[in-house]
């Protein structure tokens, strides 16, 4: 089963990810209070420093389609990227891809090579 959760800003996204076992986050890059890039960087830092955490798949949602903004998503630790306006089929495909992954982070599908480099439970 899939459970959907919604938060209104980046602070809430970080808090929910720390408090619940979230499998996939659809992270809006432009949110109030804390943007998605900053929220993702905080989540990754927390995962790296917390021995009881797991790696949460984070998929960027952004209206920007520039290569530099896409790269920025990967640089802060996002795993995949969808440009707005979003369509449901690609979102479902990415959620299925990332939600079913259970291996180590470096083997996650679509992980950008190191040189280039919203939540479901």
């Amino acid at each position: 089963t899939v459970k959907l959760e919604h938060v209104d800003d980046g602070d809430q996204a970080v808090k929910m990810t720390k408090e619940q076992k979230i499998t996939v986050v659809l992270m809006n890059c432009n949110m109030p209070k804390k943007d998605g890039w900053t929220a993702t960087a905080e989540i990754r830092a927390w995962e790296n420093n917390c021995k009881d955490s797991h790696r949460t798949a984070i998929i960027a949602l952004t209206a920007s389609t520039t290569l530099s903004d896409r790269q920025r998503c990967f640089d802060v630790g996002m795993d995949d990227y969808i440009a707005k306006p979003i369509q449901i089929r690609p979102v479902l495909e990415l959620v299925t891809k990332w939600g079913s992954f259970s291996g180590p982070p470096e083997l996650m599908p679509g992980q950008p090579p190191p040189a280039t480099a919203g939540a479901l439970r």
Side-chain angles (χ1 to χ4, degrees):
T1 60
V2 173
K3 181 178 180 184
L4 299 173
E5 299 281 345
H6 173 268
V7 298
D8 294 318
D9 61 56
D11 285 330
Q12 291 175 2
V14 172
K15 183 176 189 272
M16 180 180 284
T17 303
K18 289 179 178 181
E19 293 175 353
Q20 301 179 35
K21 183 172 177 154
I22 304 293
T23 304
V24 178
V25 172
L26 301 175
M27 185 71 77
N28 188 345
C29 292
N30 294 301
M31 290 186 289
K33 294 185 182 178
K34 182 177 292 170
D35 63 47
W37 297 288
T38 303
T40 297
E42 286 186 26
I43 291 167
R44 293 299 184 228
W46 174 77
E47 288 172 341
N48 289 335
N49 293 320
C50 181
K51 65 179 179 176
D52 295 331
S53 74
H54 69 285
R55 180 164 171 108
T56 302
I58 301 176
I59 301 169
L61 301 176
T62 180
S64 176
T65 58
T66 66
L67 290 176
S68 62
D69 280 348
R70 184 180 177 115
Q71 186 60 48
R72 182 178 178 196
C73 293
F74 292 122
D75 289 346
V76 299
M78 293 178 178
D79 300 296
D80 226 319
Y81 173 96
I82 296 179
K84 296 176 187 176
I86 61 169
Q87 297 177 346
I88 194 65
R89 184 176 302 272
V91 170
L92 292 176
E93 288 171 357
L94 287 177
V95 167
T96 300
K97 171 179 139 178
W98 291 101
S100 63
F101 183 77
S102 61
E106 62 273 11
L107 297 180
M108 291 181 98
Q111 188 70 13
T116 64
L120 302 175
R121 290 189 278 159

